[in-house]
Amino acid sequence: MQIISRRSVLAVIVLFVLFCSMLRLASGAYWSYHWSWETATRFRNIQSDTPCDSFPYEHLSRIQIVLKIGASEPQSRLQTQLSTVTRCISNLLIFSDHESELNGHHVYDILATIPESFKANTPDFEVYRSIQQGDFKSVNRSQAWRLDRFKFLPTVERSYELNPAAKWFVFLESDTYIVWDNLFRLLDQFDSAVPLYFGSPTRGRGSSYFAYGGTGFVLSVAAVERLVARTVGSKGEYVQPSLIQRYESLIKDDCCGDSVLGWALYKSGVKLSGLWPMFNPHPLHGVPFHEAHWCQPVISMHKLLLKDMHGLTVWEKQRGHNAPLLYADLFEYTNLTIRRQEQPQWDNSDWGGWREPPSSPAHKSVHACRVACNNHENCYSYTYSDVGYCIFVPTMRLGSKSSNQQLSAGWDVEKIKNWQAVHKCKEAEWVKPSTKRIY
């Protein structure tokens, strides 16, 4: 009886502990989707009109910034990138499909490093040969995009060759916006000796995920070393093909170089740490501000309008770096709460909106659309088309000018103000890695 009694007591204790754990889980005290880090800025506290006076150049000894471009891209976009986002990056590496000089930076032709046998019988390299002859204008956007997929693997490999002392490698494109202060704060929380791969998650091959290239992505030096490692023979010779040759057939069959890179990393034992929405595939005018985009730090955005790249760069400097830049702060930049009620030739519903049933009076006119949105608790903005349909948007999106003259858009400003008033950020929510949170 004494043995049974002891077992009973032990069982009760175990059940009690499990019950308490479940309560803690339910309350969120035991598990959270984000870290509550108290981070510090790397930027210097200097009041100056000179753009880069406060930038922490010394920090770039640990971080290699890599810009991947195409020679056929609009010069306006390239010049904007170099005069805004990467203007203070003294160690910038630029890789393209044509050797050149750009704003004092040497531009490496990364495709020149690919073996000729690799290029044979590959129609996409006919475009590359045209580019080498200086014929940029005949290259259309689709051709340039298909050629771009060959750049990813050699860009990572070449970046490591040029700066093997770097602890982190940050990759971006000409239409990527990076909030450097937040990125530096993030990287300060991780050990570069661990194989790490950060970005916005997109489903890849099999059970793998890859970081969407347009949002930018980050690799620790340990991750890069795993990726580029090659088997060596008894005489010290490489007995394994180069990185790009190992994945030749996959690159030629796949649509996207970021997808191939993600798979190559996955096969090397490096899984993606998805940090959406900190790495964000939306441009500023497309950010769906709401719970998922509010107290999280902004690290990157994609496909920004050129005027936004300029405007945000100036605004960031004026704002300073006393605290991480959150989406709630970025929302203030949009001035959404002081916008006119409606905007002609405007669209704020290209992502995440829904139509009411065809019988809804919302489809009768732009006025009816606005009234119906105001009366719907989950509608914060709307887009109306003169052909007779109304789209409700469940988030606070700025939207952008549309070439479609039949479109008009508006915002429920009072509802937005009320939502904002009760959603104050107590701390920066540095999201934990996840591939379930996916855009």
Side-chain angles (χ1 to χ4, degrees), residues 106-289:
H106 183 74
V107 180
Y108 295 88
D109 178 4
I110 194 60
L111 298 183
T113 65
I114 297 176
E116 287 301 318
S117 60
F118 186 104
K119 302 173 186 176
N121 301 317
T122 307
D124 293 318
F125 276 95
E126 291 302 320
V127 175
Y128 173 66
R129 294 181 183 94
S130 297
I131 291 173
Q132 298 317 297
Q133 295 170 3
D135 184 10
F136 306 137
K137 293 184 178 179
S138 67
V139 180
N140 62 45
R141 186 175 181 180
S142 176
Q143 291 172 321
W145 183 70
R146 289 198 302 271
L147 186 64
D148 186 71
R149 72 187 191 273
F150 296 97
K151 300 174 188 173
F152 280 80
L153 290 182
T155 288
V156 174
E157 191 169 38
R158 185 68 171 142
S159 299
Y160 179 68
E161 289 176 0
L162 291 173
N163 190 2
K167 302 299 183 184
W168 298 98
F169 293 84
V170 180
F171 300 87
L172 66 154
E173 300 181 1
S174 60
D175 55 358
T176 309
Y177 190 91
I178 300 286
V179 179
W180 296 113
D181 182 43
N182 281 353
L183 179 61
F184 295 161
R185 289 172 187 260
L186 174 76
L187 297 184
D188 279 345
Q189 313 307 314
F190 291 93
D191 184 353
S192 61
V194 176
L196 294 169
Y197 173 31
F198 298 141
S200 181
T202 305
R203 184 173 289 280
R205 293 175 173 269
S207 59
S208 71
Y209 288 81
F210 66 91
Y212 177 47
T215 64
F217 59 93
V218 179
L219 290 170
S220 67
V221 65
V224 174
E225 287 173 343
R226 278 202 185 183
L227 179 69
V228 304
R230 296 168 67 181
T231 305
V232 178
S234 60
K235 306 298 182 183
E237 78 282 13
Y238 288 123
V239 296
Q240 189 178 26
S242 67
L243 179 62
I244 194 167
Q245 287 175 309
R246 273 179 270 162
Y247 291 94
E248 178 175 349
S249 60
L250 181 57
I251 295 172
K252 291 178 177 179
D253 291 341
D254 204 304
C255 70
C256 310
D258 45 6
S259 169
V260 176
L261 173 60
W263 179 248
L265 285 161
Y266 181 80
K267 297 296 285 185
S268 301
V270 182
K271 293 183 179 181
L272 175 67
S273 293
L275 296 182
W276 180 92
M278 297 195 301
F279 288 84
N280 183 5
H282 295 290
L284 172 66
H285 61 268
V287 174
F289 291 99

Side-chain angles (χ1 to χ4, degrees), residues 308-332:
D308 288 331
M309 294 185 83
H310 281 293
L312 281 171
T313 302
V314 174
W315 177 74
E316 264 202 84
K317 182 171 175 58
Q318 293 172 343
R319 175 184 176 273
H321 304 97
N322 292 328
L325 172 59
L326 309 182
Y327 279 101
D329 304 312
L330 186 65
F331 181 77
E332 297 290 345

Side-chain angles (χ1 to χ4, degrees), residues 31 34 65 99 126 148 175 328 332 347 349 351 370 412:
W31 177 260
H34 69 268
I65 314 298
E99 200 93 2
E126 291 302 320
D148 186 71
D175 55 358
E332 297 290 345
D347 184 10
S349 63
W351 187 88
R370 178 175 70 249
D412 189 332

Side-chain angles (χ1 to χ4, degrees), residues 358-393:
S359 59
S360 171
H363 303 302
K364 291 183 178 180
S365 67
V366 65
H367 172 74
C369 182
R370 178 175 70 249
V371 171
C373 177
N374 292 345
N375 291 333
H376 196 295
E377 63 177 352
N378 293 322
C379 180
Y380 289 85
S381 60
Y382 56 90
T383 296
Y384 181 78
S385 172
D386 289 341
V387 301
Y389 66 82
C390 172
I391 298 177
F392 289 176
V393 183

